[in-house]
């Protein structure tokens, strides 16, 4: 997960200087017309691939962020590298049983082709972040069904537009929804 702070590219980063430049052009200037630059808040390679680790490094950060994830290549489709997706979140990450974020959020396909999915204005289901166990148990205790665990964007509960499951090992993508 990246925030905008410094120009340094992390080794092994999915966000190359060229993609960072495209994202900066697409997402527009940061506060007060300043150019965007990026700083890595969380890397599964460096901090461990788990939603709890993600939460530890992202929780408490109040600025906008860009989450970047790559799917495994589909060899039956002749892919050598997987599709790279991004999700720009315009507000602080907070574990909750409700969607959060605002109209400044966006979903991106970064590679092999670049495409931006901006909010449609029809739905406000921008970002969803639900931690395993404790949140789900609390919700069930109130008589509700267990909520999906993980990080997700758009769609509806259970049928998200973009979703990383609770161990961050599986990414799901739908081609359309009413939010993006």
């Amino acid at each position: 997960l990246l925030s905008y702070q410094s120009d340094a590219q992390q080794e092994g980063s999915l966000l190359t200087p060229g993609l960072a430049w495209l994202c900066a052009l697409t997402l527009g200037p940061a506060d007060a017309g300043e150019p965007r630059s990026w700083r890595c808040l969380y890397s599964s390679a460096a901090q461990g691939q788990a939603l709890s680790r993600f939460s530890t490094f992202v929780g408490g950060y109040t600025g906008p962020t860009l989450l970047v994830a790559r799917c495994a290549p589909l060899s039956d489709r002749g892919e050598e590298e997987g599709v790279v997706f991004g999700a720009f979140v315009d507000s602080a990450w907070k574990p909750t049983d409700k969607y959060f974020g605002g109209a400044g959020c966006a979903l991106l396909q970064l590679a092999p082709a670049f495409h931006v999915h901006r909010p449609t204005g029809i739905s406000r289901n921008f970002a969803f972040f639900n931690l395993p166990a404790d949140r789900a148990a609390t919700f069930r205790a109130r008589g509700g069904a267990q909520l999906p665990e993980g990080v997700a964007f758009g769609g509806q509960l259970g049928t998200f537009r973009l979703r990383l499951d609770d161990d961050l090992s599986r990414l799901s993508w739908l081609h359309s929804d009413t939010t993006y």
Side-chain angles (χ1 to χ4, degrees):
L1 183 81
L2 302 165
S3 66
Y4 57 88
Q5 291 295 322
S6 72
D7 292 322
Q9 181 185 358
Q10 301 287 322
E11 186 175 329
S13 174
L14 296 174
L15 191 67
T16 64
L19 286 176
W21 179 77
L22 280 172
C23 288
L25 285 177
T26 301
L27 299 170
D31 295 333
E34 298 173 11
R36 288 192 190 274
S37 56
W38 306 97
R39 176 176 65 98
C40 186
L41 296 176
Y42 165 81
S43 165
S44 61
Q47 281 95 14
Q49 186 171 322
L51 193 59
S52 61
R53 302 298 295 155
F54 175 87
S55 180
T56 297
F57 286 92
V58 174
Y61 184 80
T62 59
T65 53
L66 177 66
L67 183 143
V68 181
R70 178 176 30 217
C71 294
L74 300 173
S75 55
D76 60 335
R77 293 187 185 170
E79 292 180 356
E80 293 182 21
E81 294 189 22
V83 177
V84 178
F85 291 103
F88 182 74
V89 178
D90 64 357
S91 59
W93 285 84
K94 53 185 174 186
T96 180
D97 59 356
K98 295 177 177 51
Y99 281 91
F100 67 95
C105 293
L107 295 181
L108 303 98
Q109 180 181 330
L110 301 172
F114 188 84
H115 187 80
V116 179
H117 303 273
R118 296 201 181 275
T120 62
I122 297 171
S123 177
R124 299 191 52 80
N125 296 345
F126 301 113
F128 183 81
F129 178 33
N130 189 34
L131 293 172
D134 55 335
R135 288 270 180 203
T138 301
F139 194 73
R140 278 195 309 274
R142 288 188 271 164
Q146 181 172 342
L147 292 170
E149 298 166 348
V151 176
F153 306 90
Q156 303 295 321
L157 293 177
T159 56
F160 301 105
R161 175 77 182 264
L162 174 67
R163 178 177 185 223
L164 285 162
D165 63 7
D166 63 345
D167 66 359
L168 306 179
S169 66
R170 182 171 179 213
L171 186 145
S172 305
W173 170 262
L174 296 176
H175 289 280
S176 65
D177 76 308
T178 57
T179 303
Y180 296 102

